[in-house]
Amino acid sequence: MDSVSQLALGAALSVTVMGRRMPVWQSALLGAVCGTLPDLDVFFDRGDPISNMTMHRTESHALFYLTLVSPLLSWLGGILFRLRGQVIRLWLAVWLALITHPLLDTMTVYGTQFGLPFTDYPYAIGSMFIIDPLYTLPLLVGVIAALILRNRRGLRWNHGGLIVSCAYLLWSLFAQQQATEAARQAIAQNYINGERVLVTPTSLNTLVWRVVVMTPGTYGEGFYSLLAPQRPLTFTFYPRGEALYARYRDNPYVARMAWFTHGFFRLSEQNGHLWLSDLRMGEEPYYTFTFDLGPVNTPDGEVLPTRINTVRPPVSEMIGRVWQQMKAE
C-alpha cells in the first residue's frame, strides 16, 4: 500500500496498544515511524530496474527479520520518550506496526516476500488497489481525533477507525471472490482456454474489477462491476509474445519477471527493441512496469534493462473511466 496508509496504520495500532500509558502524540509518532521503516529499502540500488522492482519488499518486509529487530526499536523508543515500566506493551506496539506493513502490502498485487529467509515466494492477494481512500481515511480520522481530543473519547475514535479499515479489507476479499466467480463463469461460457486468471480492483475502489486471463499465445482483459452484475463480462485479447518468450526465456531478466509476476507478463518488439511488461499493474495500454531489454538479438543479459516511462492518463480521466464502468446499463 501507499506510504500514507502504512503510516496511518502504524500510528493507529501504536495508539491502540499504548492507550493512555503514553502521550498520544508520542505513541502515534512511534507507530508512524515503525510503519514506514520497511519501505526505506526503495533507496537501495540493486543494480538494474528489474532487480530494483523484484527485490523491493524483500528482507525489509520479512516477518522473521522484523520480529528480530523489534526489541531493539522498542528499546530505543523507550529511551527516546523516557518511558519506563511498559517494556512488553511498548514492544507489542512496535512489533505490530512493523509486521502489519508487509501484511497490508500482501493485500495488493505487487508481491511481498515476507517469508524470507525461509522462502522467497512473492505473496500477492490482489484484493486492494495500492491507493484506496476508503481504507486510509478511517485510519487518519481516528488518529487525528485521538491527537486532538487526547482522552478516552479520542481513543474510541482511533479504535473505530481501525475497525472500519479492517472491515474494509474483509469486504475487499469478499468483493474479489464475487468478481472471480463471475470471471470464471464468463470464461467457461465463452469457451476460453484460460491458463491463469487474475482479478484485481481498478483505481481507487473495490467495486470495479479488472480481469486478466492468460491463454496460449494471448491474454484477455475485461472489467466487472459489482454495481452491474448483470452486464456480460467480455474480454479484449492481445498478443502476449509467446514466440519471443520461447526465444528469450533464458534471459535472466525475462526469467525473473516471469517468476515474480506468476506468469502475468508480456514480451513485445518495439522499434527493434525487446520490451517486457508486467500485466498485473495498470490497464491496457498503460502498464506501470515496462522495461526495454535492448535491441533484439542482443545476447542474454548483456544489456542492462531500462524502465519505460509510459504516459498515463490524467487522474480525472482514470476516475471517469472507473465511473463509467460502475454505471449500470
Side-chain angles (χ1 to χ4, degrees):
M1 295 289 286
D2 63 287
S3 297
V4 175
S5 298
Q6 297 289 9
L7 181 151
L9 176 60
L13 285 168
S14 182
V15 170
T16 296
V17 173
M18 298 309 301
R20 304 184 68 179
R21 299 169 183 83
M22 184 178 187
V24 174
W25 74 267
Q26 292 183 359
S27 57
L29 177 60
L30 177 67
V33 170
C34 292
T36 306
L37 278 178
D39 274 344
L40 295 183
D41 66 338
V42 298
F43 295 106
F44 293 96
D45 187 1
R46 310 285 186 167
D48 65 83
I50 290 181
S51 295
N52 287 339
M53 172 197 172
T54 59
M55 297 183 73
H56 174 45
R57 299 187 183 178
T58 51
E59 286 83 3
S60 69
H61 288 60
L63 300 181
F64 179 74
Y65 294 133
L66 291 175
T67 299
L68 287 182
V69 78
S70 60
L72 173 61
L73 292 178
S74 61
W75 175 71
L76 291 174
I79 293 177
L80 178 64
F81 296 118
R82 300 178 181 178
L83 188 66
R84 297 179 180 179
Q86 299 292 335
V87 177
I88 300 299
R89 191 171 288 270
L90 187 63
W91 166 80
L92 181 61
V94 169
W95 181 70
L96 285 175
L98 288 173
I99 67 162
T100 52
H101 181 120
L103 294 178
L104 181 59
D105 277 345
T106 305
M107 301 297 291
T108 69
V109 77
Y110 188 97
T112 305
Q113 299 171 52
F114 64 73
L116 288 169
F118 309 106
T119 175
D120 63 353
Y121 185 83
Y123 294 94
I125 294 173
S127 67
M128 291 285 292
F129 191 71
I130 192 171
I131 300 173
D132 193 324
L134 290 180
Y135 172 78
T136 309
L137 284 176
L139 293 172
L140 289 176
V141 169
V143 171
I144 292 173
L147 288 169
I148 293 175
L149 298 175
R150 291 180 294 179
N151 55 24
R152 293 189 183 278
R153 185 184 175 193
L155 294 179
R156 286 196 294 269
W157 272 90
N158 182 70
H159 298 162
L162 265 177
I163 292 171
V164 171
S165 66
C166 290
Y168 188 71
L169 288 180
L170 293 176
W171 153 255
S172 75
L173 293 172
F174 172 78
Q176 184 185 43
Q177 181 59 38
Q178 296 297 108
T180 300
E181 183 61 29
R184 289 173 177 165
Q185 291 180 9
I187 290 170
Q189 290 170 359
N190 290 279
Y191 303 101
I192 298 172
N193 184 15
E195 298 175 349
R196 290 177 297 278
V197 180
L198 176 72
V199 180
T200 58
T202 54
S203 304
L204 310 174
N205 79 105
T206 53
L207 293 175
V208 179
W209 294 77
R210 175 175 178 257
V211 180
V212 178
V213 55
M214 306 299 289
T215 69
T218 65
Y219 65 93
E221 180 185 62
F223 296 91
Y224 175 78
S225 173
L226 292 175
L227 298 181
Q230 76 283 357
R231 181 184 301 171
L233 200 169
T234 59
F235 294 95
T236 303
F237 287 88
Y238 308 91
R240 57 188 282 191
E242 278 291 283
L244 289 171
Y245 180 60
R247 185 176 174 185
Y248 292 99
R249 66 187 308 153
D250 293 329
N251 181 297
Y253 303 117
V254 173
R256 185 156 186 85
M257 183 66 79
W259 163 77
F260 188 71
T261 63
H262 308 291
F264 290 94
F265 69 97
R266 175 187 66 187
L267 280 169
S268 60
E269 186 176 337
Q270 303 287 340
N271 300 321
H273 281 230
L274 185 65
W275 282 23
L276 176 63
S277 300
D278 182 342
L279 299 177
R280 303 170 305 157
M281 287 170 277
E283 298 174 15
E284 192 67 36
Y286 308 105
Y287 289 109
T288 306
F289 293 102
T290 296
F291 303 93
D292 184 346
L293 302 187
V296 175
N297 298 323
T298 299
D300 290 346
E302 186 171 298
V303 176
L304 287 178
T306 57
R307 184 173 173 182
I308 304 298
N309 294 318
T310 54
V311 180
R312 296 180 64 90
V315 174
S316 58
E317 181 181 332
M318 295 172 63
I319 294 175
R321 289 172 61 186
V322 171
W323 173 248
Q324 290 298 323
Q325 292 161 357
M326 283 184 180
K327 291 169 64 177
E329 293 179 343

